[in-house]
Amino acid sequence: MSDETIHESAPAAKHGWRAYLRWLVPLAFLFLVGWLLVRGISEFNLQEMQRTLLEVPTLPALGVAALALFAVAFTGSIDVVIARWLGVPMPVREVLRLAFVANTLSNTLNLSGAVGSGVRLLGLSARRVELPVGAALIGLQVLSLPLGLSVLIVATLSLGQTPITPGATSRWLALTVLVAAALYLPAFFVLTTRRRLMRWLPRGMALPPLRLKLGLAVLSFVDWLLAAAVLYACLYMTGVHVRPGPLLGSFAAAQTLGLLSLIPGGFGVFDGLMLLALTSEGYESAAVLSALFLFRIAYYLVPLLAGLYFGSGMLAERLPAVVRAGARLRAHPLFGLLGLPASLLAGFGIRVLAVLTFLAGLVLLASAAIPSVHEHIEVVREHLPLAAVESSYWLSIVTGVLLLGLGRGIDGRLRVAYRLASIALVVGAALSVTKGLHFGEALFLLAIAALLRTRKREFTQRAMSLTSLTTFTWFAGLIAVVLAFFAIGVFAVLGDDSFDFWYFGHGEHSSKLARGLFAAALGLAIYLIWQSFSVRRPPLKRPDRAELERAREVYLEHGGGEFAHLSFMGDKHLFWSGDHHAVVAYGAVRDRLVALGSPCGPESAIKRAILDFRHFADAQDRVPLFYEVLEPDLSLYHDLGFDLFKLGELATIRLEEFTLAGKRWEDLRQAVNRSVKERLTFELVEPPFDTVLMSELERVSDNWLADKDAREKSFSLGHFDADYFAWSPLALVRRDGELLAFANVLPPYGPNGTASVDLMRHVDGAPRGTMDFLFAKVMQWAKEQGHASFSLGMAPLSAVGDNPYARVNERLAALAFQYGGRFYNYQGLRRYKEKFGPEWTGSYLAYPRGLWVPGLLIDIAALVAGGYRRFLFGGR
């Protein structure tokens, strides 16, 4: 193996191991904590946990929520200090706002620092902060956050406050983790003095001074103390009066392991370790779990909702800039290590709202599966009739299932899903109160409805794909939750000897839950029916004669490019730009809308037409593609966010150079001379065509298809069709009155249009050189008509990937051009056209960034073949 191969394979292998570790480490931590909990906790009383939560006083709970908001906002002081040192030209208020939004999201959704770092990158790029400076701020902020935890560990160990542990072994394990984490503090101060390790700082900038590092350590320490204070307050409100010293030690150890677990927010790991530690001291598990639940709500969920509100629309407005800056940032030394995936930043706000909508449905089903507290049952019984409570229970389950499914529509920015989800959330909040006075649940649903309202303008989609992997993933989540609800219901029924399906009462949870299973099935059926009819893409209509005539007027006035005449085949749809000045001819295959060539119309309207077509495709959750766009238009597609793949080259002849004299035209001259001996005659006939001629054309076409064992094509290639022929002249070659060959002539459109031929067919046994004779005569006719150029058509894969710096897909295409002769005569076609000395113009596929090109080419091949059925199985 060469050295180059080794160097290329080593990073790939390293990346593969990192990818596996990101899955294995969290799973290992969750398994370990789960095993410890099963061993350490003998029983769990859900009713007692509900009662504990209901007894939490309202005003202190609001005070804890305010403290948590302040604690998360205080983290932004680290950003402010670093920004001042770097000289970032942003007001303190803007830095704090940006940091608050970033921190609330990273607390809940953190992925290797990607979300928090990405949001900061968004805000800094919007303020035109230079990339090296922004990278330095983000990098130093990420490195500073663990400082406070390390200081907290040093302080607690110095004061002799060791973590609470259930045994000697776990005590030594906790101490080992704390000591290892405490070493981060001196390591930070030492390593930040090494210029080689800090090379990601802007060029010419000094290393962070000691005063700055001490300030960051103090601020981070206060930040972690505030987080611990929120946990302490939550524990105190639920009756867990633990001493601050031991709590700090346990908090530090659990947070350290939560960070090491790579799970966002340490969810499950931190909670399980704190539960295990506090229950080992004799505290009730229901009270501890209630406190941890309140801590998650106060320190994570409430700030997340506030962050989504304050950051609403921030990413959507600046997404193109973020994508470009993210691509540059990935090359930065620091973030190459952190592995910032810029693609995860796209639409994070909407995606979070989609997850919250799904979570709202989960909460409604969970509350239906859990028995209500007896005190609430008594209150409901006094104020509401039994039928109202039973109906509320049923409807809340139906609403919950609908919200589970609507999460996919919110993720797809569907307008109809936004409207239905907003109604369902408000209705679900009302039902939460009437079915069991679940006020916290109602407030949660209303908060999500309010957040959806803040992003109303972003729900512009009219349809979405029902067969995509994303849709199947959301649907799998929906089915999993509904099946879990069914499993809980069946388990409750089997475990209740007094179960009576038809008993209606406030306290009979098993009977109510059994009836709720039918409500869940009904909700699932309603959602599937709604999705099938409301989310389905609208049918694409083929143009009628009047619309085709209108398109022809545009072609004649402004030019139609190389492919305008193919619009009249009737197998394509027409899309008109918003100002109705430009038209796009396109076909549809799977979820792709494939435009043939660039839009046709005034030059000033082309850019708008491309954007309008892209919006049209996006609104239906389809992929817009532009097939066979030529070199002069490439800058437009690049500027509008498309990637480009070279398909081949188009050969064009200047007709002023055409003559039958000279070596360049030797083949055509010989064919014309031979035609005299073969008694061949040429005729160009204008439409309309009589039925006798059409019968002759059909005979020649059928003979040609049978001889070539070929099938009719479509989209970018013509096929035999009388209506299509009626739009242009036909070139005919006869011998003694018998039709031997024909071609339909593509007339030039606009002042600088290009003439060409499309369908060229001849009978088996036609004299050699018949088609060259036809070709020469058509070119001679076009020159006499005063046309400037004549197109010889495409040479597929010609000059594609023929240099060492070409992309991988294009280099693979070059191999197909070189070695794929047994499947298609790529090189022979190029050589035939090359002998006429044409001008070669590159032809490209323009596609949205990030798509897999081979898959796109397969879709287009199926479109040209007439659909996937004909592409895979053949047939006429």
Side-chain angles (χ1 to χ4, degrees):
M1 182 181 291
S2 66
D3 291 342
E4 183 178 351
T5 305
I6 293 173
H7 288 136
E8 288 180 355
S9 60
K14 182 178 179 181
H15 177 75
W17 278 109
R18 276 174 51 187
Y20 283 119
L21 287 175
R22 288 181 183 179
W23 285 98
L24 293 176
V25 170
L27 290 175
F29 269 93
L30 287 175
F31 176 79
L32 177 61
V33 172
W35 178 69
L36 292 173
L37 286 173
V38 170
R39 288 189 58 189
I41 300 178
S42 56
E43 60 182 20
F44 169 65
N45 192 330
L46 180 60
Q47 289 266 356
E48 188 61 32
M49 180 181 170
Q50 286 182 287
R51 187 171 288 105
T52 302
L53 288 171
L54 291 172
E55 291 174 354
V56 172
T58 303
L59 287 179
L62 293 175
V64 170
L67 175 63
L69 284 171
F70 173 75
V72 176
F74 181 83
T75 311
S77 61
I78 296 175
D79 294 67
V80 172
V81 171
I82 299 173
R84 283 185 174 179
W85 176 65
L86 291 170
V88 175
M90 286 179 64
V92 172
R93 180 179 178 181
E94 286 296 320
V95 176
L96 287 174
R97 177 184 176 229
L98 176 62
F100 180 76
V101 175
N103 291 329
T104 57
L105 287 162
S106 63
N107 282 351
T108 312
L109 305 170
N110 196 39
L111 297 165
S112 302
V115 174
S117 300
V119 175
R120 284 180 173 85
L121 171 63
L122 167 67
L124 295 173
S125 63
R127 285 285 182 172
R128 301 187 183 279
V129 176
E130 295 181 0
L131 178 62
V133 176
L137 187 152
I138 296 170
L140 200 52
Q141 188 270 346
V142 171
L143 296 176
S144 301
L145 281 179
L147 277 177
L149 185 60
S150 188
V151 174
L152 179 62
I153 292 170
V154 172
T156 53
L157 292 180
S158 301
L159 296 174
Q161 301 295 337
T162 56
I164 305 169
T165 53
T169 303
S170 57
R171 179 182 180 82
W172 282 109
L173 177 62
L175 288 174
T176 302
V177 170
L178 289 177
V179 171
L183 294 177
Y184 182 81
L185 180 64
F188 175 83
F189 278 89
V190 172
L191 297 178
T192 50
T193 61
R194 307 293 175 87
R195 171 63 66 179
R196 184 172 62 85
L197 297 176
M198 302 294 287
R199 66 184 185 276
W200 43 268
L201 288 174
R203 183 174 298 178
M205 175 165 284
L207 293 172
L210 180 61
R211 181 179 178 181
L212 173 67
K213 291 185 282 189
L214 288 173
L216 294 175
V218 171
L219 291 174
S220 182
F221 173 65
V222 175
D223 177 42
W224 285 102
L225 275 181
L226 288 172
V230 175
L231 177 61
Y232 177 81
C234 292
L235 288 167
Y236 193 87
M237 285 192 303
T238 58
V240 182
H241 298 165
V242 61
R243 290 182 296 119
L247 176 64
L248 283 177
S250 302
F251 174 83
Q255 284 286 10
T256 301
L257 289 173
L259 290 173
L260 293 176
S261 71
L262 303 179
I263 299 173
F267 187 78
V269 175
F270 170 80
D271 312 83
L273 292 173
M274 289 302 302
L275 177 63
L276 190 64
L278 293 173
T279 52
S280 68
E281 283 288 288
Y283 296 106
E284 292 292 333
S285 61
V288 176
L289 275 173
S290 299
L292 291 171
F293 178 75
L294 290 176
F295 177 68
R296 286 291 175 183
I297 296 294
Y299 193 76
Y300 291 89
L301 183 58
V302 172
L304 173 65
L305 298 178
L308 285 173
Y309 176 78
F310 287 116
S312 177
M314 182 188 295
L315 181 65
E317 297 167 3
R318 303 285 181 177
L319 185 56
V322 173
V323 172
R324 290 194 295 269
R328 294 169 59 198
L329 191 61
R330 284 197 298 271
H332 194 276
L334 175 65
F335 290 92
L337 175 64
L338 290 178
L340 171 65
S343 60
L344 290 176
L345 303 180
F348 77 88
I350 293 296
R351 189 141 297 155
V352 170
L353 290 177
V355 173
L356 288 174
T357 303
F358 186 90
L359 184 59
L362 180 61
V363 167
L364 283 173
L365 289 184
S367 67
I370 298 173
S372 298
V373 177
H374 180 71
E375 291 83 348
H376 280 196
I377 296 176
E378 294 296 327
V379 174
V380 169
R381 180 183 297 176
E382 292 177 5
H383 294 86
L384 292 175
L386 179 62
V389 178
E390 188 74 24
S391 300
S392 297
Y393 181 85
W394 252 67
L395 290 174
S396 69
I397 295 175
V398 173
T399 305
V401 175
L402 286 176
L403 287 171
L404 289 172
L406 287 170
R408 169 64 183 113
I410 298 299
D411 186 40
R413 301 172 186 263
L414 277 177
R415 187 182 305 169
V416 65
Y418 160 77
R419 292 170 179 167
L420 186 56
S422 299
I423 296 172
L425 287 166
V426 175
V427 171
L431 295 173
S432 298
V433 176
T434 56
K435 74 179 180 183
L437 302 182
H438 298 154
F439 294 106
E441 179 181 307
L443 288 174
F444 175 66
L445 297 177
L446 291 175
I448 298 175
L451 284 172
L452 280 176
R453 178 72 180 179
T454 64
R455 307 298 290 272
K456 178 181 179 180
R457 293 182 179 179
E458 295 187 39
F459 292 93
T460 58
Q461 304 294 85
R462 298 181 180 180
M464 69 179 186
S465 172
L466 299 181
T467 58
S468 66
L469 179 61
T470 303
T471 299
F472 284 134
T473 302
W474 280 92
F475 187 69
L478 164 65
I479 295 298
V481 172
V482 173
L483 288 178
F485 180 75
F486 269 80
I488 293 172
V490 172
F491 180 79
V493 169
L494 294 178
D496 188 353
D497 295 335
S498 61
F499 164 72
D500 181 0
F501 183 84
W502 299 109
Y503 178 78
F504 292 85
H506 288 285
E508 289 299 318
H509 179 71
S510 298
S511 301
K512 186 187 296 185
L513 185 56
R515 293 189 296 273
L517 300 183
F518 289 92
L522 176 63
L524 185 60
I526 292 173
Y527 171 73
L528 291 176
I529 294 171
W530 171 83
Q531 180 176 262
S532 299
F533 290 96
S534 297
V535 182
R536 186 182 300 276
R537 293 165 176 150
L540 300 172
K541 296 181 180 179
R542 296 281 170 81
D544 56 17
R545 179 79 185 192
E547 190 174 7
L548 290 174
E549 289 283 3
R550 181 180 161 203
R552 189 175 192 178
E553 292 176 3
V554 173
Y555 301 155
L556 290 171
E557 182 178 357
H558 302 288
E562 303 292 329
F563 313 104
H565 193 79
L566 295 175
S567 305
F568 306 124
M569 284 184 359
D571 62 345
K572 285 173 280 297
H573 315 278
L574 295 183
F575 171 81
W576 294 87
S577 60
D579 55 11
H580 297 280
H581 290 161
V583 61
V584 178
Y586 69 96
V589 57
R590 292 203 309 122
D591 61 346
R592 325 290 196 191
L593 297 185
V594 188
L596 183 57
S598 292
C600 298
E603 187 175 348
S604 59
I606 300 301
K607 183 175 181 179
R608 173 170 180 173
I610 296 172
L611 275 176
D612 288 348
F613 183 72
R614 186 162 192 173
H615 292 154
F616 171 70
D618 289 344
Q620 302 178 40
D621 195 25
R622 296 180 187 261
V623 178
L625 305 174
F626 287 85
Y627 180 63
E628 294 195 6
V629 298
L630 303 181
E631 286 179 8
D633 299 328
L634 295 188
S635 61
L636 272 177
Y637 294 95
H638 178 273
D639 293 344
L640 294 176
F642 287 89
D643 269 351
L644 300 166
F645 174 82
K646 191 170 185 180
L647 299 168
E649 292 187 312
L650 182 76
T652 307
I653 295 174
R654 292 185 180 276
L655 288 175
E656 63 183 14
E657 301 173 359
F658 173 69
T659 173
L660 292 179
K663 184 174 179 57
R664 177 180 176 185
W665 312 104
E666 181 179 2
D667 287 353
L668 295 183
R669 183 173 64 252
Q670 291 178 357
V672 172
N673 293 336
R674 191 180 299 112
S675 68
V676 178
K677 298 178 183 179
E678 298 289 348
R679 306 188 308 282
L680 302 181
T681 59
F682 173 81
E683 181 184 9
L684 193 93
V685 296
E686 297 284 348
F689 309 118
D690 57 38
T691 55
V692 175
L693 176 58
M694 292 306 303
S695 297
E696 290 183 289
L697 296 173
E698 187 173 14
R699 174 184 58 81
V700 173
S701 178
D702 291 344
N703 182 277
W704 185 87
L705 290 171
D707 181 56
K708 302 295 183 184
D709 191 24
R711 297 186 298 271
E712 295 282 15
K713 303 294 184 184
S714 61
F715 188 60
S716 61
L717 298 172
H719 57 254
F720 188 92
D721 181 78
D723 293 333
Y724 174 48
F725 288 164
W727 289 90
S728 64
L730 288 173
L732 310 176
V733 176
R734 297 180 183 271
R735 181 169 61 183
D736 300 332
E738 180 187 1
L739 184 65
L740 299 182
F742 75 89
N744 67 313
V745 179
L746 305 188
Y749 291 99
N752 298 312
T754 302
S756 186
V757 294
D758 178 23
L759 209 66
M760 297 186 296
R761 294 184 177 176
H762 60 83
V763 296
D764 183 27
R768 185 169 62 90
T770 298
M771 297 313 292
D772 280 348
F773 168 62
L774 184 150
F775 223 79
K777 286 296 187 178
V778 171
M779 291 173 65
Q780 201 169 37
W781 167 84
K783 183 177 181 179
E784 292 170 356
Q785 295 296 314
H787 302 317
S789 57
F790 188 89
S791 174
L792 299 176
M794 277 276 294
L797 303 186
S798 173
V800 177
D802 56 358
N803 68 83
Y805 302 105
R807 298 180 180 181
V808 173
N809 288 324
E810 292 181 344
R811 291 165 74 176
L812 291 174
L815 294 176
F817 179 81
Q818 187 173 0
Y819 301 108
R822 60 177 298 186
F823 302 104
Y824 190 90
N825 190 18
Y826 295 108
Q827 297 188 53
L829 189 60
R830 168 77 188 206
R831 285 193 298 268
Y832 174 77
K833 296 179 180 181
E834 185 70 57
K835 68 184 179 181
F836 299 115
E839 295 179 354
W840 293 100
T841 304
S843 178
Y844 292 79
L845 172 68
Y847 60 95
R849 289 171 183 157
L851 298 182
W852 189 52
V853 174
L856 300 180
L857 296 179
I858 292 172
D859 286 331
I860 293 172
L863 181 61
V864 172
Y868 261 101
R869 185 182 62 81
R870 291 182 58 185
F871 178 66
L872 296 174
F873 306 110
R876 294 292 180 92

